C-alpha cells in the first residue's frame, strides 16, 4: 500500500496537513447535506400524514405541501450507518534501524486505514476508524434513480461525498449510471465503511485502502440469471470509466513528509460476479494512469497501474468463508523506469452460533520491485474477531490482530485490540 | 400437583410453539399471469438478485415487518437467514447502490389489500388469511 516511498526512504518527518477541498467539492458537500436533510425530514414525516381524502380543504397551500411530502416519501429511501471503533496497540516491537517514513515517534503502531490515514499507537483512541454515513435512494421515475451517500469520520469531520450518481434502467437487464461511485476494486470495496455488513471492525488493510477510493464517470451494469444448463447462476457484469483526484492525500501523509495530490485518470475496468446458492465468485480488472504531485518539491511520479483480482466466498447456514487474491502492478514511466508489484491475499472463516459470530482471518501484502533501491513494504496480519448481534440492526465486535511488519521497519510488529459498535438503519 | 405442573408447562409450550408457527404462502393477484414459482426464484426476487419475474416483467415483492409470524417463517424457510443476516445482506446491497429492500407492510391484511389491488406485486401471508382476490404461487 505504499509504492511511492522511494523518494523519501531516508526521511522520517510527518506533516499534519489540513485537508482542503477543491471548489466543486466544496459546493457539492453542503448541497448534498441540505438535500439529505430535506428528504430525511419528509421521509420520516411521511408515515403520519393524513390520507389525501380527509385533509382540510381550506388550507390549500398546506394540502399541496403535504401531498408533495407524501409523494417524496414514497420515492425516497433514506438509510444510514455508524461504526464507532476504539482500540490501541497493546504490545509491540520495533525493528532497527528505522528507515521508513511513517511517523515513527509513537511506533510500534498500526495503520488501520490507508485512505484516511487512520493509525493506532499505544494510547486507546476512537479517532482512526470511527465513521458514519447517510444515504438517499431517490426514485425519480420508474427507470431513473439517484443514489447519494456522504460519510464523515472522526479523522476528518468534513463530510465526504462517496456516491452521487444517476442510474437509468435502459432495459430489464442493463443499467447505465453516471456520476460519482466507489471503485469496485475488491469484494468489500463498495461497502467498506459499513461495519455491520462484514465481520471485521474495519476493512482489512492488506487489500483495502489506496490513495483513491471513488471515481467520477460512467458505468454500465448488466444483470441476468443464466439458463438452467448453467445452473441458473446469477450473473452481474459491470464496465466503468472515470477519474478522480485527491488533494493533500492522507494516504500520502503516512509515507512521505511532503504533501501531495494524487490522480487516477483514464480509469477503465470491469468486474464479473457470479453467485448461486452458497457461493460467490468475483473477477476484476482495471487500469489507470496515476499521477502524484509533491507540491513543495514539484516532483511528479507517473505510473501506469493495473489491478487484477479474484474472490471466492461461501456462505452456508452456519459456516462462511471469504478468500481474495489480488495483484496491484505499477510501472513508473519516468526514466529510469521501474515497476512495483504488490500481490495481496486475504482469507477468513467464521461460524454463526445464534447471536455470536467468531471469525478468524489472515492477510498478506508484499511488494517486489525491479528497482533494487526501492524500499519494499510487506506485512502479514492474523485477526480473530468475535461479533455479537445486539439487535437485528446493531452489533458489537471485539477484534484482536497480530501485525507482522515484514519490511525493514515501517510500523514495527504490533498486537492490536479493537472494539466496535456498528449500527445500520 | 408436582406431576401435573411439568405436564401443563409442556402442553403450554407446545401450544405456544404451534400458534407461533404460521403456514406461510407466497401470493399474487388472482389476475396476475404468474403461475408457480420455485423456492429459489422467490428467494432471488426477495433478495433483489432477480429484478424480474420469469416472464421478464418487473418484479415488485412486498414484505412484512420484523416480528410478524408470516415474516419470521418466510425468512426462516424461504430466505434461510436470521434477521440480523438479512439486515446485513441488505445493508451491503443498499450501501453499494445495488438495490433497496422490498417495501414492508405491517400485517397479512395490508399485504392482501396491496396484492389485491396491484397485479404486478407478490407478497407472503399466512395461508389462513388468503382470500379470493389473490392466488397462491408458492407454498414451502
Amino acid at each position: 500500500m505504499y509504492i511511492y516511498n522511494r523518494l523519501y526512504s531516508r526521511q522520517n518527518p510527518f506533516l499534519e496537513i489540513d485537508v482542503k477541498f477543491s471548489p466543486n467539492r466544496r459546493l457539492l458537500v453542503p448541497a448534498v447535506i441540505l438535500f439529505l436533510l430535506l428528504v430525511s425530514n419528509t421521509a420520516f414525516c411521511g408515515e403520519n400524514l393524513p390520507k389525501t381524502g380527509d385533509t382540510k380543504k381550506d388550507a390549500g397551500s398546506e394540502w399541496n405541501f403535504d401531498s408533495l411530502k407524501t409523494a417524496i416519501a414514497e420515492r425516497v429511501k433514506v438509510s444510514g450507518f455508524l461504526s464507532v471503533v476504539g482500540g490501541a496497540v497493546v504490545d509491540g516491537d520495533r525493528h532497527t534501524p528505522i528507515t521508513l517514513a511513517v511517523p515513527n515517534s509513537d511506533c510500534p503502531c498500526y495503520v488501520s486505514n490507508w485512505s484516511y490515514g487512520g493509525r493506532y499507537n499505544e494510547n486507546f483512541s476512537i479517532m482512526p476508524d470511527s465513521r458514519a454515513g447517510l444515504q438517499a435512494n431517490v426514485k425519480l421515475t420508474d427507470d431513473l434513480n439517484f443514489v447519494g451517500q456522504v460519510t464523515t469520520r472522526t479523522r476528518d469531520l468534513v463530510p465526504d461525498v462517496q456516491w452521487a450518481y444517476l442510474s437509468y434502467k435502459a432495459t430489464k437487464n442493463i443499467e447505465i449510471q453516471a456520476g460519482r461511485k466507489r471503485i469496485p476494486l475488491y469484494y468489500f470495496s463498495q461497502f467498506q465503511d459499513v461495519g455491520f455488513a462484514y465481520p471485521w471492525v474495519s476493512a482489512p488493510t492488506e487489500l483495502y485502502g489506496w490513495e483513491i477510493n471513488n471515481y467520477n464517470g460512467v458505468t454500465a451494469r448488466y444483470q441476468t440469471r443464466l439458463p438452467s444448463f448453467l445452473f441458473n447462476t446469477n450473473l452481474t457484469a459491470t464496465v466503468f470509466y472515470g477519474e478522480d483526484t485527491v488533494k493533500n492525500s492522507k494516504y500520502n501523509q503516512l509515507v512521505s513528509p511532503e504533501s501531495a495530490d494524487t490522480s487516477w485518470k483514464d480509469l477503465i475496468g470491469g468486474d464479473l460476479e457470479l453467485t448461486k446458492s452458497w457461493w460467490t465468485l468475483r473477477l476484476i480488472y482495471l487500469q489507470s494512469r496515476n499521477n502524484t504531485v509533491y507540491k513543495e518539491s514539484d516532483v511528479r511520479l507517473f505510473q501506469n497501474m493495473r489491478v487484477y483480482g479474484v474472490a471466492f466466498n461461501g456462505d452456508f447456514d452456519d459456516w462462511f468463508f471469504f478468500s481474495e487474491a489480488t495483484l496491484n502492478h505499477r510501472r513508473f514511466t519516468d526514466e529510469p523506469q521501474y515497476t512495483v508489484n504488490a500481490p495481496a491475499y486475504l482469507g477468513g472463516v467464521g461460524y454463526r452460533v445464534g447471536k455470536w459470530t467468531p471469525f478468524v482471518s489472515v492477510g498478506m501484502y508484499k511488494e517486489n520491485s525491479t528497482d533494487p533501491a526501492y524500499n519494499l513494504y510487506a506485512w502479514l496480519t492474523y485477526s480473530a474477531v468475535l461479533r455479537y448481534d445486539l439487535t437485528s440492526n446493531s452489533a458489537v465486535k471485539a477484534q484482536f490482530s497480530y501485525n507482522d511488519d515484514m519490511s525493514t521497519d515501517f510500523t514495527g510488529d504490533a498486537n492490536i485490540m479493537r472494539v466496535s459498535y456498528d449500527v445500520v438503519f | 400437583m408436582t406431576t401435573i405442573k411439568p405436564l401443563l408447562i409442556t402442553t403450554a409450550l407446545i401450544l405456544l410453539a404451534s400458534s407461533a408457527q404460521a403456514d406461510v404462502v407466497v401470493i399474487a393477484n388472482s389476475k396476475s399471469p404468474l403461475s408457480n414459482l420455485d423456492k429459489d426464484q422467490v428467494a432471488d426476487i426477495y433478495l433483489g438478485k432477480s429484478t424480474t419475474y420469469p416472464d421478464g416483467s418487473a418484479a415488485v415483492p412486498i414484505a412484512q415487518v420484523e416480528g410478524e409470524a408470516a415474516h419470521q417463517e418466510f425468512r426462516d424457510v424461504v430466505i434461510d437467514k436470521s434477521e440480523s443476516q438479512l439486515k446485513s445482506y441488505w445493508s451491503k446491497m443498499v450501501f453499494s447502490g445495488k438495490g433497496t429492500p422490498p417495501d414492508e407492510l405491517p400485517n397479512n391484511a395490508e399485504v392482501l389489500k396491496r396484492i389485491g389491488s396491484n397485479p404486478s406485486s407478490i407478497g407472503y401471508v399466512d395461508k389462513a388469511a388468503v382470500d379470493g382476490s389473490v392466488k397462491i404461487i408458492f407454498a414451502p
Side-chain angles (χ1 to χ4, degrees):
Chain A
M1 290 292 121
Y2 319 96
I3 295 187
Y4 309 105
N5 56 17
R6 188 165 172 265
L7 277 181
Y8 296 100
S9 58
R10 283 177 184 78
Q11 301 173 47
N12 283 330
F14 176 66
L15 301 177
E16 190 75 44
I17 296 147
D18 290 338
V19 175
K20 293 186 183 68
F21 284 88
S22 58
N24 60 343
R25 260 199 183 182
R26 229 179 282 166
L27 285 174
L28 197 56
V29 170
V32 171
I33 293 170
L34 264 176
F35 175 74
L36 285 176
L37 284 175
L38 179 73
V39 295
S40 58
N41 181 36
T42 49
F44 295 142
C45 296
E47 288 172 24
N48 302 326
L49 287 175
K51 298 247 157 48
T52 333
D54 46 56
T55 316
K56 291 163 286 176
K57 276 283 174 199
D58 49 352
S61 59
E62 214 174 297
W63 188 88
N64 285 331
F65 186 56
D66 280 354
S67 58
L68 178 69
K69 275 172 133 183
T70 316
I72 291 175
E74 279 171 5
R75 290 177 176 275
V76 178
K77 286 191 178 176
V78 176
S79 337
F81 59 87
L82 167 76
S83 288
V84 180
V85 187
V89 170
V90 289
D91 184 26
D93 184 24
R94 291 285 292 272
H95 307 179
T96 50
I98 293 151
T99 51
L100 299 184
V102 85
N104 272 304
S105 56
D106 58 355
C107 287
C109 53
Y110 177 69
V111 175
S112 62
N113 187 325
W114 285 92
S115 303
Y116 291 90
R119 190 167 49 89
Y120 291 91
N121 57 29
E122 286 172 345
N123 300 316
F124 179 88
S125 174
I126 61 159
M127 296 301 282
D129 281 332
S130 302
R131 69 266 179 194
L134 200 54
Q135 178 168 315
N137 289 48
V138 185
K139 190 173 183 174
L140 298 167
T141 72
D142 280 351
D143 297 323
L144 190 64
N145 286 279
F146 170 80
V147 177
Q149 187 192 106
V150 291
T151 59
T152 181
R153 316 172 180 265
T154 40
R155 275 287 299 163
D156 179 6
L157 289 169
V158 181
D160 210 355
V161 179
Q162 304 285 350
W163 304 82
Y165 67 89
L166 286 168
S167 182
Y168 174 69
K169 207 168 167 63
T171 73
K172 70 185 172 81
N173 298 114
I174 298 174
E175 276 181 37
I176 308 292
Q177 302 168 337
R180 184 168 180 78
K181 291 195 76 184
R182 175 69 43 76
I183 301 170
L185 200 54
Y186 306 121
Y187 181 76
F188 294 96
S189 292
Q190 296 192 306
F191 50 101
Q192 66 190 20
D193 290 329
V194 189
F196 186 78
Y198 52 71
W200 301 275
V201 297
S202 68
T205 57
E206 294 75 54
L207 271 63
Y208 297 86
W210 291 98
E211 319 89 298
I212 303 263
N213 284 312
N214 302 309
Y215 67 101
N216 301 317
V218 288
T219 306
R221 180 159 171 259
Y222 175 77
Q223 186 179 14
T224 193
R225 187 179 160 115
L226 296 174
S228 54
F229 70 91
L230 292 169
F231 315 107
N232 296 323
T233 307
N234 292 300
L235 176 149
T236 309
T238 59
V239 288
F240 47 90
Y241 175 80
E243 62 172 52
D244 195 24
T245 297
V246 168
K247 303 271 183 193
N248 298 308
S249 135
K250 287 207 182 296
Y251 175 100
N252 204 71
Q253 291 171 21
L254 286 169
V255 287
S256 90
E258 192 183 333
S259 178
D261 297 346
T262 293
S263 300
W264 287 9
K265 303 229 163 165
D266 293 332
L267 176 76
I268 182 162
D271 71 351
L272 178 70
E273 190 170 302
L274 295 166
T275 171
K276 172 69 187 167
S277 58
W278 61 268
W279 60 270
T280 302
L281 174 69
R282 182 172 183 274
L283 302 169
I284 164 95
Y285 170 78
L286 72 79
Q287 61 179 49
S288 65
R289 290 190 304 109
N290 302 0
N291 163 11
T292 304
V293 181
Y294 292 88
K295 296 200 286 198
E296 286 154 45
S297 57
D298 200 36
V299 168
R300 287 155 192 269
L301 292 178
F302 293 96
Q303 317 127 52
N304 290 333
M305 179 176 79
R306 290 178 174 191
V307 179
Y308 310 84
V310 55
F312 185 68
N313 302 333
D315 194 334
F316 308 94
D317 286 349
D318 304 321
W319 292 95
F320 60 96
F321 69 87
F322 302 115
S323 64
E324 192 158 15
T326 80
L327 175 67
N328 186 307
H329 167 91
R330 297 195 197 199
R331 190 161 58 83
F332 288 73
T333 52
D334 296 312
E335 292 300 330
Q337 290 195 2
Y338 64 100
T339 60
V340 178
N341 282 312
Y345 312 94
L346 180 67
V349 58
Y351 184 74
R352 300 185 187 97
V353 202
K355 295 183 170 192
W356 297 90
T357 310
F359 175 80
V360 290
S361 73
V362 58
M364 185 172 75
Y365 174 89
K366 196 173 194 309
E367 293 177 349
N368 64 74
S369 173
T370 55
D371 179 358
Y374 185 87
N375 269 315
L376 299 171
Y377 288 89
W379 71 91
L380 176 68
T381 307
Y382 299 95
S383 294
V385 194
L386 186 60
R387 171 183 174 138
Y388 178 75
D389 293 321
L390 292 171
T391 66
S392 64
N393 67 337
S394 64
V396 285
K397 295 177 210 161
Q399 176 167 347
F400 173 79
S401 300
Y402 169 66
N403 189 52
D404 178 5
D405 180 5
M406 301 191 294
S407 40
T408 316
D409 193 357
F410 177 58
T411 56
D413 300 338
N415 291 325
I416 311 100
M417 190 67 216
R418 286 181 284 173
V419 290
S420 73
Y421 170 70
D422 300 292
V423 60
V424 293
F425 63 89
Chain B
M1 198 59 190
T2 43
T3 50
I4 286 172
K5 208 172 173 184
L7 193 69
L8 278 175
I9 291 169
T10 316
T11 316
L13 281 175
I14 289 168
L15 282 174
L16 269 176
S18 55
S19 68
Q21 188 80 40
D23 260 336
V24 74
V25 290
V26 177
I27 53 168
N29 187 291
S30 57
K31 296 189 185 75
S32 162
L34 280 176
S35 52
N36 289 344
L37 298 180
D38 64 34
K39 183 180 154 183
D40 280 355
Q41 287 171 324
V42 173
D44 281 356
I45 288 168
Y46 271 90
L47 292 172
K49 291 177 179 175
S50 297
T51 54
T52 56
Y53 296 124
D55 68 358
S57 60
V60 188
I62 304 294
Q64 295 202 31
V65 294
E66 183 183 346
E68 283 296 298
H71 171 76
Q72 197 172 323
E73 194 186 330
F74 181 77
R75 179 173 57 62
D76 283 346
V77 176
V78 182
I79 305 293
D80 213 8
K81 288 180 192 294
S82 72
E83 195 64 44
S84 166
Q85 276 174 269
L86 188 60
K87 287 267 187 350
S88 176
Y89 172 83
W90 276 113
S91 62
K92 170 183 141 181
M93 295 291 278
V94 167
F95 297 117
S96 334
K98 285 182 179 163
T100 49
D103 280 348
E104 290 175 353
L105 295 178
N107 52 45
N108 291 325
E110 290 294 318
V111 173
L112 283 166
K113 216 166 91 187
R114 175 77 68 92
I115 306 294
S117 62
N118 197 334
S120 62
S121 293
I122 62 171
Y124 53 80
V125 291
D126 274 353
K127 194 175 181 182
V130 170
D131 64 21
S133 68
V134 299
K135 63 181 178 187
I136 295 172
I137 54 169
F138 174 67

